[in-house]
Amino acid sequence: MLEIRWHSRAGQGAVTGAKGLADVVSTTGKHVQAFAFYGSAKRGAAMTAYNRVDDQVIMNHEKFMAPDYVLVIDPALVYVADFTAFEKPDTVYIITTHMSTEELIASQPKLQGKKVYTVDCIKISQETIGKAIPNTPMLGALMKVSGMYEMDFFKENMIRVLKKLPQKIIDANMIAIQRAYDEVK
Amino acid sequence: MMSEIKKIKNLKEFSTSADRFEGANLLCPGCAHSIIVREVLNATNDDLILAASTGCLEVCTAVYPYTSWDASWIHIGFENGSSAVAGAEAMYKALKTKGRLKQPERTPKFVAFGGDGATYDIGFQWISGCFERGHNMMYVCLDNEVYANTGGQRSSSTPIGASATTTPAGSISYGEKKNKKDMMAIMAAHGAPYVAQVSPSKWKDMVAKIQKGFAAEGPVFINAISACTTEWKFAPEDTIAITDLATDSLVFPLYEIINGTELNITYRPKNIVPVRDYLGAQGRFKHLFTKQYEYLIDEWQTRVDLKWEQLQRREEARV
Amino acid sequence: MADTMELRDIEVWDGNMAASHALRQVQVDVVAAYPITPSTPIVENYAGFAANAYVDGEFVMTESEHGAMSCCIGASAAGGRVATATSSQGFALMVETLYSASGMRLPIILNVVNRAIGAPLNVNGDHSDMYMGRDSGWIQLDAYNPQHAYDLNFIAFKVAEDHDVRLPAMVHQDGFMTSHTAQGVHTMTDEQGFNFVGEFKPMNDMLDLDHPVTHGVQTEEDWHFEHKARQQHALMTAVIPKIEAAFDAFEALTGRRYNLVETHQMDDAEMAVICMGTSVETAMEVVNELRANGIKAGVVGIRVFRPWPMEQLAAVLKDVKAIGTLDRSSPHGTMGMLFNEISGSLFNTDTKAVLTNYIYGLGGRDLTKAHLVGIFNDLKANMDAGKPTTPLQQYIGLRGPKLSFF
């Protein structure tokens, strides 16, 4: 079982990102789950979303998760959210920030000694999609760090997942995914 | 078959039309409800799909294993006769689209009946919803200004000074304290294509309005005065006389509003009767004829005069 | 004609999307609905289908849930396929009309995305609304995941619209835990899905203009009892065989098997938990882990909540020594519903299991695998002692001092 927790602000697309990832993974015959914690909070509120991936049918519906990957798509959440909750010794962190990995760890000591990767999904999405929607670039970074799928396969499936969007936006998303794949460190 | 306007020559022919509402019902002797319902149903030859809200009409016409209805009829609850018929109308449209109507050449009319309690009070939200959505239906309020079915409690249609069981007249109270809600204005404000006030005693005016309503596309509201022998406290044989007093004193003026803007007064009494005569004919206003409360009769007259003036101004101004 | 939609064999859908597609595929004639969290997406998705020619029936957005079910009743009595969706406060507002729909024998399908009922207001999943509906005369089917939410809709239409049944049916799924959780859902083609349910066959339809019918009559002391008894008779005798037949037909079509009572590792189980919704599956996973340690634990899931499968439950529980009933609704003044119903189901049998009750998950509070392991530890102690070693009613996952009763 592979378990992923997203930290995001409502409106940044973590639920869409988690569902998109689940959709892509499902095409490879694996079993998936994508869900989120909801309240009545509006745009901008800190929230979490989740993925489970397994070769077996996933029966577990508990919300509790000890994640293998923690994806933080809003830079400020590493200072205000409990993003290391229930971490495992080998939990991997991929964090959106304009800082280098070293600078980030220096600013947030909780990350010391952890497997930490950084990528500026906000900047990438602003420069490609034209809006701060850091969910799809984060998936590009995840592909690089996890080695989950070949980039061509992933992008081909993401085009299908995003098919209701205008072609221009789909193209921009593909560039964003590739840039995050290339830039994550 | 396109629906056509039914030709009605005289009262005898009208009153002996084939009944889809049977005389076999349990309504009180002298109840105006049955007269109104017959006049609505007899105004058309088209098929009818009917609904009723909980109330006198419902409990007296569909007591298992009997029914007084020779047209499809449904009752759910007190507040939702409008939605019941709206749902049936939606199904008619769906089956028409899908080609599954059993008699596709016929065009039934959808009519909901409700008392003033079901219309002015508890069912108001549902009616407003149906009118906003624009269902092709007619809603007929049988307005007897009281919860008659449950023994005479006040509704928001009960006029000032009427003694009802929940607003009884007493040594320090003249009965109902609030003016009757102006349901006609509210329904017209929905932008309904046709809204009209009718009286069963003015049957030609009523039939003309019902037929106009059936010819309109969209939701139609009809407010029918329904003099209640039991709760208004008059002799059963006086129903039509009391109703005439209501229209001829202008307490219950007859008019229509087209598309929410065009107001037409449809009946101008040759001799306008004093409101005092209307009030004096009913036991529910008996206490007004005392020294203590007599001033209310003058207030009544002033209010009726003002309303009549306002209606005439709106008619002239075409608004 | 509505357009056909091409689906992949497996779509990643949440429970709401799954239910929406089922409504689309059976070609509902009238959907009258009012949005409420967490069932809103069912209504929104359906509106999207309507806006893009994937459905050709009428879609009526009413002014309230009461208005929605009122329209559904009028539409169903008029003679066609009718469905809607709601949750929580909306369900509560609808309750009056639920009794009308069943009393008038109208086969309306209601998707209930289970949610807590305030006060205090809470948008998350528990079973308070589902429990509120249990005396309303509806068939109630319970989904544990999005696949079930899809499949059980087809079962519900097939059973409810059968002329020997003519009763409305609810398809329940857990708010958020199923409704907003995307998982792989095996789909049917539009043609397969529609053909499983078939064309709607009207009965006593108001729109048959040559045969007027009176719906929703008055009955006082002379006939009311007979009407209600007939309704109960239909629910108690006609429904279960039809559901079983529908489950068989559905398995033949899709390979997916449903049962009145779902069991996991119950053949030799010494102790069992009984629950509903997503918790059933989480408990199954816990039981797999306990079994690996040689603990003979099992799970019983209620699939058909109404009519209550009393005989089937008595049969699957006959050799069990300790039972934990898990209720996701506050019983307010008594034992949990499952405790009481299981007690009633076992009382006249030879089963002498120790029976205890757990209240859990109110307002969406997580039920973790660790909680379930703790419950099985309690059951083991009860089994060994041959009597309750804990209070009869305990709270799971509650912060603060331990709370228990009886």
Side-chain angles (χ1 to χ4, degrees), chain B residues 28-31 229-230 234-240:
Chain B
C28 296
C31 176
T229 163
T230 307
F234 59 79
E237 63 271 24
D238 290 341
T239 302
I240 293 299

Side-chain angles (χ1 to χ4, degrees), chain B residues 81-270:
Chain B
S82 56
S83 303
V85 100
E89 185 257 2
M91 183 56 75
Y92 170 76
K93 278 193 214 154
L95 298 188
K96 191 175 179 187
T97 306
K98 297 185 180 203
R100 285 184 15 232
L101 288 171
K102 288 180 177 171
Q103 297 93 5
E105 73 287 357
R106 284 149 70 175
T107 51
K109 298 284 184 277
F110 295 85
V111 184
F113 292 100
D116 51 287
T119 306
Y120 287 61
D121 288 346
I122 196 169
F124 179 64
Q125 169 189 312
W126 287 255
I127 296 167
S128 180
C130 288
F131 273 61
E132 173 270 320
R133 295 192 297 272
H135 292 279
N136 211 1
M137 60 181 272
M138 177 181 288
Y139 188 94
V140 180
C141 175
L142 305 166
D143 188 356
N144 57 19
E145 302 184 332
V146 71
Y147 289 99
N149 185 43
T150 48
Q153 299 77 28
R154 64 85 64 180
S155 78
S156 58
S157 174
T158 304
I160 291 181
S163 182
T165 60
T166 49
T167 51
S171 62
I172 57 158
S173 174
Y174 54 79
E176 172 61 33
K177 301 286 187 301
K178 303 286 188 302
N179 207 356
K180 180 183 170 97
K181 192 194 261 186
D182 189 352
M183 198 66 184
M184 285 285 288
I186 294 168
M187 296 318 294
H190 281 74
Y194 194 69
V195 168
Q197 203 148 261
V198 301
S199 160
S201 61
K202 301 288 181 274
W203 68 274
K204 278 188 180 165
D205 177 76
M206 176 158 171
V207 167
K209 285 172 175 166
I210 298 299
Q211 292 187 334
K212 265 190 192 176
F214 280 144
E217 281 292 319
V220 167
F221 181 76
I222 302 291
N223 201 45
I225 184 172
S226 186
C228 178
T229 163
T230 307
E231 300 303 337
W232 294 15
K233 298 184 173 58
F234 59 79
E237 63 271 24
D238 290 341
T239 302
I240 293 299
I242 295 285
T243 310
D244 277 338
L245 281 173
T247 53
D248 290 10
S249 65
L250 301 171
V251 166
F252 198 89
L254 302 182
Y255 62 101
E256 62 187 12
I257 306 173
I258 298 165
N259 294 324
T261 52
E262 189 185 329
L263 188 146
N264 301 309
I265 294 168
T266 60
Y267 173 68
R268 287 166 210 281
K270 280 191 194 103

Side-chain angles (χ1 to χ4, degrees), chain C residues 111-316:
Chain C
N111 275 273
V112 184
V113 179
N114 296 329
R115 170 185 149 184
I117 294 178
L121 193 70
N122 175 295
V123 299
N124 277 288
D126 74 24
H127 293 165
S128 302
D129 43 13
M130 171 160 63
Y131 279 31
M132 185 186 269
R134 68 189 196 262
D135 282 358
S136 66
W138 287 55
I139 298 164
Q140 290 178 280
L141 308 175
D142 192 31
Y144 311 157
N145 62 36
Q147 180 76 61
H148 300 169
Y150 177 70
D151 294 347
L152 291 177
N153 264 286
F154 295 95
I155 305 284
F157 281 104
K158 194 173 182 70
V159 172
E161 292 176 0
D162 190 299
H163 282 193
D164 293 337
V165 174
R166 291 182 296 116
L167 285 167
M170 298 178 198
V171 177
H172 293 274
Q173 57 174 293
D174 282 359
F176 294 105
M177 288 161 282
T178 300
S179 69
H180 287 61
T181 297
Q183 291 190 251
V185 175
H186 293 265
T187 63
M188 290 184 276
T189 64
D190 285 4
E191 193 184 359
Q192 281 174 329
F194 181 79
N195 287 342
F196 179 76
V197 178
E199 284 281 352
F200 183 85
K201 295 181 190 68
M203 187 174 184
N204 300 329
D205 42 331
M206 291 172 75
L207 285 173
D208 182 353
L209 303 172
D210 289 331
H211 302 95
V213 57
T214 295
H215 278 275
V217 294
Q218 186 84 3
T219 59
E220 290 305 336
E221 182 269 338
D222 53 351
W223 281 109
H224 187 82
F225 200 179
E226 280 70 22
H227 271 89
K228 287 295 178 190
R230 280 190 67 131
Q231 192 182 330
Q232 163 79 340
H233 183 258
L235 197 53
M236 295 297 278
T237 61
V239 175
I240 292 280
K242 294 289 181 183
I243 292 178
E244 286 181 313
F247 283 164
D248 289 345
F250 195 77
E251 185 183 22
L253 178 67
T254 65
R256 295 191 290 281
R257 177 71 208 171
Y258 291 95
N259 300 287
L260 301 170
V261 173
E262 302 291 355
T263 56
H264 184 68
Q265 300 280 12
M266 284 302 294
D267 286 349
D268 63 343
E270 295 177 327
M271 52 190 184
V273 295
I274 300 178
C275 50
M276 298 172 79
T278 47
S279 307
V280 177
E281 293 201 332
T282 308
M284 287 177 179
E285 187 155 306
V286 169
V287 160
N288 289 346
E289 290 167 15
L290 294 174
R291 287 267 166 177
N293 298 324
I295 297 167
K296 289 185 175 173
V299 183
V300 174
I302 309 297
R303 176 70 70 199
V304 179
F305 177 34
R306 285 290 183 274
W308 179 253
M310 185 150 155
E311 289 160 12
Q312 292 77 6
L313 279 161
V316 302

Side-chain angles (χ1 to χ4, degrees), chain B residues 242 245 249 272-282 289 297 301:
Chain B
I242 295 285
L245 281 173
S249 65
I272 296 176
V273 177
V275 171
R276 169 180 287 272
D277 292 4
Y278 171 70
L279 302 177
Q282 304 168 55
F289 293 84
I297 298 174
Q301 186 66 59

